[in-house]
């Protein structure tokens, strides 16, 4: 047995010899910060172990801990095996993950969920109104009462002496509760192809109470939307499997939110989900197969409001999930939420919005017109297909500056284990500036170019082609540069096609919103150097982080914003790039540096 | 194996030696007329057996068959055991049961369920509308699409080459089907405390296609509403049990409708249920306990619309059940439906409506005002508490006329097995006319009165009191007369209280509607003789049979009628008799003959 100090709790747990500490804590309801689920990857599950212990810290664990931390007896819970009594202190709070940040500007609160105090007159022979009417006449207009609530009506009324709390959503009475019940929560979720970002929101204040991000568990079925759609078609039960894992993940997130913040799951009444169109289909269990093939027709794009129980999500039993509307197969609810939180739809001047996730979506417009397209550009910027590419996690090189020493910075400090999108963009931009890469994207060899020796020695040969060392072990290959060239070319070409269509020039664009986890970390100058965004727009860039998540929160706390989102989805004109020869042309023109 | 000829089918069935023919037929989907479920009671499951057979017809079976039928080799299927090959002919159609008749006058069809043909344009790169929008834009305004339908959208569209049938209910798309699907059915049900009457209705024509009546299976938990409410309170799972048996019974009825009429259960899209307030609570699984005790407050009285699946009823998986609204604990949706089908609510003159079922409900009013009360008067008129009392089933004495020989008639002919409400009322009326019963309700002995010998010998002694023989074995006791006195006194007193309240006299009442199975069979003169209805109103009586069922059908085929029913329920003023001393007084005044 050992003692654990949680946030406000002290628990004594008995475990079997050799039990993993991380798993022990989690399975006993003690939240430990993590994003990798105890797989030795994220380095976040730091706990302080008070009792003397003899286990040595191995190399894998050690790289996550500073000297100070080691001296304080800090450990990563996922590496610790319990062999004797120990006292464990769990830190009070984890920091929010890089993917969950996003700005949002709420105009006013207008939550659909309303909790009210009701003090009812008691029935008598002179007031024989039925229980339900007694409640609804007090609340005002109630049109719908689910059977489960109706079944509880006589019991709740009697046991609380005709004083209670009612919870309505629009005109539906979704819950009746004891008079002590006060809390009202909602959850906003951005289901990305790669990552899920979730936010716990207090629906009384609009306050964002907690954030959580995790890897989309559908990843095991395939890294991109096409592979996942294929899986639903190849495997009889594939669609159901994928719906199930996402529901389980959302339930896990809700569970963590409840434990960490000591709230009752019954007090979570609503969830708003955004994501690309395929993710929405998969989360609802709706066949997405026509998304994958021309003419790329989704089953639905409209707003879906369903009871959480219909998709196996556990919150208040009559709680709702809203799936925000999409525009087309490749402009999903995430982009609608981006547009909402950027407020570009209400400005007179034109804005450009680029969301670089697993795909790269582009929107141009103003209050009169919004047009959008999608390019299969994202994965390279998320590290996919790059030799040492990785997501923006601890250990990733996130910035490169060849004039400094060391030439790189690492997320979380320490030894780099890979290079993420912003690092790659920086590196290539630096190499372009030093003319290590020629305008066509070819890497020059040492002999072709005169460089300081320190830089020159970084040019090595890899698989018969030049490569460029960033750290001792991590380098950029010619193939990596080609990947980035294709990706940035596609995005730049997409921007050009939309600009041509709407009939405007670079000067007309007053703001460039860059959304998405990657977008939040690149340096605009580097992005402009490699030609991802037009040079003239560099100083107009606003990095809005997870704008999709921010938009989801806005619609969660305000029904007015939900109506605006619906309006936006209707208004956006989708441009199918695959059907235009114009795009091919622009693409070829945009490929060079 | 043996051959069975059904309605349009010929089937060969293999059975084990000794199998019961009734069960064999039913379990193989061959409908045999019956109301007792093969329990040797109703005598309706007549079949013709062609192959020579040796089994003798026993006495129990024989009494249901005429000589001609016996010579034709007719048998009751429930008595037949299969020991060798036989050819069985099942008659084409059963007659409707006595409880299911009711008049209704439909103004116009206005069904909520609409089935439409859609021929959609196919998607292309120039028409990338999502599948759902493609459908809904063709239909017009669709606001709600259940997840189960949305999941089928891409599959149904593709497999039917973009031609299909849509089924909407109000603004919800509840089904998408192959283009061949045409049929649209609904079911109307009157759940009485004692009996259930159900109607299969074609929602395209409004035609009543089939009727079915059965005993309320909740009877095993208690004969009246109070006993059943008690059961829900005494037994932990009692409410659930009662909900379950009624759902199973409704499923059985739907099943019979489908088999008999060769329709697909998926094409039943809506059900309307009426019943007294307690029956509605029990059918929904909502605690009815406060109905039983002062101040008699039900959990709800409003219209309830839910998915059939929520209460375990099997029809189209997104089909709906509507529970019509009630007025109060003892004026239920059945009475609202009575008022609707009588059309008394739209007339300028005053009408009186009496529904005698297990309770006796009374309504007086016109287009400006409707007031109602309920008296615990019914059971005696349904045979409950009467020595030889029985429901209006085969074998029951239904009419008595002491001037004729025999003095009685029997439902279905043959030897009487009991006496039903209309028979009891007749008998007592006749005894009053012959002064065998004095004005206070006391039976005179032979010595007190001079009668024809034939009548005089009918007066016997039973448990120390006089009794009157109707048939050889069936007689009316002094206690029976007291039961009827109490019941008719309560109803008459109820009528008086309502008349006083509304401030009218007998002359003001232009029509008397008598609803309910019993009400359909009594002779108005006899009812007036015993003082059940005022003498002056005898010639104004209109017997409207199962008016509740008729009202249910009206709301099933017309949404306008549903709105009217909702209006009626809101408008009716309920008078609680238990709270007035006036009722006690009128009751005492109304007790004598």
């Amino acid at each position: 047995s050992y003692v654990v100090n949680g946030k406000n709790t002290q628990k004594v747990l008995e475990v079997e010899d050799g039990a993993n500490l991380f798993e022990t804590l989690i399975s006993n309801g003690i939240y430990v910060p993590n994003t990798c689920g105890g797989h030795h990857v994220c380095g976040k599950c730091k706990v302080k172990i008070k009792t003397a212990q003899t286990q040595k810290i191995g190399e894998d664990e050690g790289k996550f801990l500073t000297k100070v931390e080691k001296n304080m007896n800090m450990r990563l819970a996922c590496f610790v095996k319990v062999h004797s009594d120990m006292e464990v202190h769990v830190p009070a709070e984890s920091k929010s993950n890089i993917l969950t940040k996003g700005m949002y500007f709420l105009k006013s609160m207008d939550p659909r969920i309303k909790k009210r105090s009701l003090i009812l007159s008691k029935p008598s022979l002179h007031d024989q109104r039925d229980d339900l009417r007694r409640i609804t006449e007090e609340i005002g207009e109630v049109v719908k009462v689910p059977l489960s609530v109706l079944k509880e009506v006589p019991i709740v009324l009697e046991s609380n002496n005709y004083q209670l709390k009612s919870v309505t959503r629009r005109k539906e009475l979704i819950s009746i509760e004891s008079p002590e019940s006060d809390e009202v929560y909602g959850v906003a979720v951005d289901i990305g192809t790669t990552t899920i970002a979730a936010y716990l929101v207090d629906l009384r204040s609009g306050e964002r109470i907690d954030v959580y991000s995790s890897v989309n568990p559908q990843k095991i079925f395939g890294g991109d939307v096409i592979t996942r759609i294929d899986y639903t078609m190849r495997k009889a039960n594939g669609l159901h499997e994928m719906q199930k894992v996402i529901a389980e993940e959302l339930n896990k997130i809700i569970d963590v939110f409840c434990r960490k913040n000591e709230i009752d799951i019954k007090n979570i009444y609503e969830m708003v989900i955004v994501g690309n169109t395929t993710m929405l289909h998969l989360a609802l269990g709706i066949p997405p197969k026509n998304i994958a093939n021309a003419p790329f027709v989704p089953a639905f794009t409209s707003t879906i409001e369903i009871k959480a129980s219909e998709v196996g999500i556990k919150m208040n039993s009559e709680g709702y999930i809203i799936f925000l509307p999409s525009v087309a197969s490749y402009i999903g609810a995430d982009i609608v939420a981006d547009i909402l939180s950027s407020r570009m739809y209400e400005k007179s001047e034109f804005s450009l919005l680029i969301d670089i996730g697993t795909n790269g979506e582009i929107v141009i417009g103003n209050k009169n017109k919004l047009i959008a397209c999608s390019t299969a550009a994202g994965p390279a910027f998320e590290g996919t297909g790059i030799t040492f590419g990785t997501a923006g996690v601890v250990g990733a090189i996130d910035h490169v500056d060849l004039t400094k020493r060391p030439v790189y910075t690492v997320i979380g400090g320490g030894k780099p284990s890979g290079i993420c999108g912003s690092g790659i963009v920086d590196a290539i931009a630096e190499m372009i500036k030093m003319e290590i890469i020629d305008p066509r994207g070819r890497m020059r060899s040492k002999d072709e170019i005169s460089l300081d020796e320190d830089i020159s020695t970084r040019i090595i040969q890899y698989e018969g082609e030049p490569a460029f060392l960033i750290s001792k072990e991590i380098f950029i290959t010619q193939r990596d540069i080609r990947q980035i060239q294709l990706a940035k070319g596609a995005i730049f070409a997409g921007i050009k096609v939309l600009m041509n269509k709407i009939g405007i020039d670079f000067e007309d664009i007053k703001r460039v919103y860059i959304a998405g986890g990657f977008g939040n970390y690149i340096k605009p100058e580097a992005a402009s150097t490699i030609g991802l965004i037009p040079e003239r727009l560099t100083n107009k860039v606003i990095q809005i982080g997870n704008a999709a998540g921010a938009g989801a929160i806005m619609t969660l706390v305000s029904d007015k914003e939900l109506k605006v989102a619906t309006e936006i989805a209707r208004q956006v004109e989708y441009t199918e790039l695959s059907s235009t020869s114009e795009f091919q042309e622009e693409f070829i023109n945009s490929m060079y540096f």
Side-chain angles (χ1 to χ4, degrees), chain A residues 131-142 145 173:
Chain A
D131 294 336
L132 183 60
R133 190 183 294 181
R134 204 170 291 274
I135 294 172
T136 56
E137 286 186 354
E138 191 72 20
I139 299 173
E141 200 179 357
V142 170
V145 183
L173 177 66

Side-chain angles (χ1 to χ4, degrees), chain A residues 145-198:
Chain A
V145 183
L147 189 53
S148 75
V149 174
L150 195 46
K151 284 179 178 178
E152 283 181 359
V153 160
I155 299 145
V156 173
L157 278 191
E158 225 172 11
S159 60
N160 292 293
N161 205 22
Y162 290 84
Q163 300 194 10
L164 65 152
K165 287 275 166 61
S166 71
V167 182
T168 53
R169 181 182 183 277
R170 300 215 163 111
K171 289 177 181 171
E172 179 175 350
L173 177 66
I174 62 168
S175 183
I176 48 171
E177 301 169 2
S178 75
E180 297 79 35
S181 170
D182 273 322
E183 303 184 6
V184 189
Y185 298 102
V187 174
V189 186
D190 173 20
I191 304 180
T193 308
T194 312
T195 54
I196 296 176

Side-chain angles (χ1 to χ4, degrees), chain A residues 536-556:
Chain A
R536 266 171 288 188
L537 298 178
T538 316
N539 58 352
K540 293 174 181 168
V541 167
I542 304 169
Q543 287 160 301
I544 53 175
N546 187 356
I553 295 175
M554 290 162 70
T555 59
L556 179 64

Side-chain angles (χ1 to χ4, degrees), chain A residues 80-117:
Chain A
V80 178
K81 291 199 188 322
V82 183
H83 290 296
S84 58
D85 281 2
M86 50 170 74
E87 197 181 318
V88 180
H89 289 255
V90 179
E93 190 62 31
S94 71
K95 291 283 164 249
S96 71
N97 185 285
I98 52 161
L99 291 166
T100 54
K101 286 175 197 159
M103 299 189 286
Y104 72 99
F105 313 98
L106 194 64
K107 292 177 174 174
S108 65
M109 290 288 294
D110 176 29
R112 285 167 293 277
I113 306 288
K114 293 190 175 73
K115 190 174 274 199
R116 266 173 271 225
S117 249

Side-chain angles (χ1 to χ4, degrees), chain A residues 25-32 34 187 189 198 200 210-212 246-266 268 271 312-316:
Chain A
L25 293 170
I26 293 288
S27 64
N28 280 283
I30 298 161
Y31 180 75
V32 194
N34 78 91
V187 174
V189 186
L200 177 67
D210 201 357
V211 293
Y212 186 92
I246 200 80
E248 279 167 1
E249 185 66 22
L250 294 177
N251 283 333
K252 196 186 108 188
I253 292 171
I254 291 173
D255 191 44
V256 169
F257 279 156
C258 289
R259 289 181 187 194
K260 261 183 75 183
N261 301 283
E262 291 175 358
I263 65 176
D264 188 333
I265 196 165
K266 285 180 192 152
I268 300 181
M271 179 184 273
I313 304 294
K314 285 171 198 146
M315 53 168 90
N316 182 286

Side-chain angles (χ1 to χ4, degrees), chain A residues 49 64 76 80 91 126 151 157 162 184 220 233 252 261 265 354 363 371 373 448 465 479 489 521 525 541-542 554 570:
Chain A
I49 296 182
F64 291 113
L76 290 190
V80 178
H126 303 288
K151 284 179 178 178
L157 278 191
Y162 290 84
V184 189
I220 56 169
M233 290 161 71
K252 196 186 108 188
N261 301 283
I265 196 165
I354 310 172
V363 185
I371 60 173
C373 67
E448 288 176 66
E465 290 194 305
R479 225 184 119 265
Y521 283 85
E525 301 72 29
V541 167
I542 304 169
M554 290 162 70
R570 265 189 225 151

Side-chain angles (χ1 to χ4, degrees), chain A residues 185-315:
Chain A
Y185 298 102
V187 174
V189 186
D190 173 20
I191 304 180
T193 308
T194 312
T195 54
I196 296 176
Y199 308 85
L200 177 67
V201 180
D202 188 322
L203 295 183
R204 294 165 300 180
S205 62
E207 195 191 343
R208 201 170 70 184
I209 292 174
D210 201 357
V211 293
Y212 186 92
S213 74
S214 61
V215 170
N216 187 329
Q218 292 172 340
K219 217 174 171 178
I220 56 169
F221 303 109
D224 55 57
V225 298
I226 302 301
T227 326
R228 287 191 210 161
I229 293 170
D230 277 351
Y231 187 81
T232 67
M233 290 161 71
R234 273 187 297 111
K235 227 188 137 192
N237 207 29
L239 178 56
H240 176 73
E241 272 180 70
M242 263 196 272
Q243 196 278 327
K244 209 178 142 199
V245 298
I246 200 80
E248 279 167 1
E249 185 66 22
L250 294 177
N251 283 333
K252 196 186 108 188
I253 292 171
I254 291 173
D255 191 44
V256 169
F257 279 156
C258 289
R259 289 181 187 194
K260 261 183 75 183
N261 301 283
E262 291 175 358
I263 65 176
D264 188 333
I265 196 165
K266 285 180 192 152
N267 289 326
I268 300 181
Y269 300 96
E270 205 179 55
M271 179 184 273
V272 169
I273 292 180
V274 298
N276 64 52
T277 309
T278 304
M279 291 308 114
L280 302 185
H281 279 64
L282 295 179
L284 281 161
I286 296 169
K289 67 172 186 159
N290 296 332
I291 292 177
N293 302 306
F296 314 110
V297 170
F300 71 100
T301 55
S302 48
T303 308
I304 304 285
E305 301 198 12
I306 55 169
K307 295 269 171 179
S309 56
E310 287 189 69
V311 282
I313 304 294
K314 285 171 198 146
M315 53 168 90

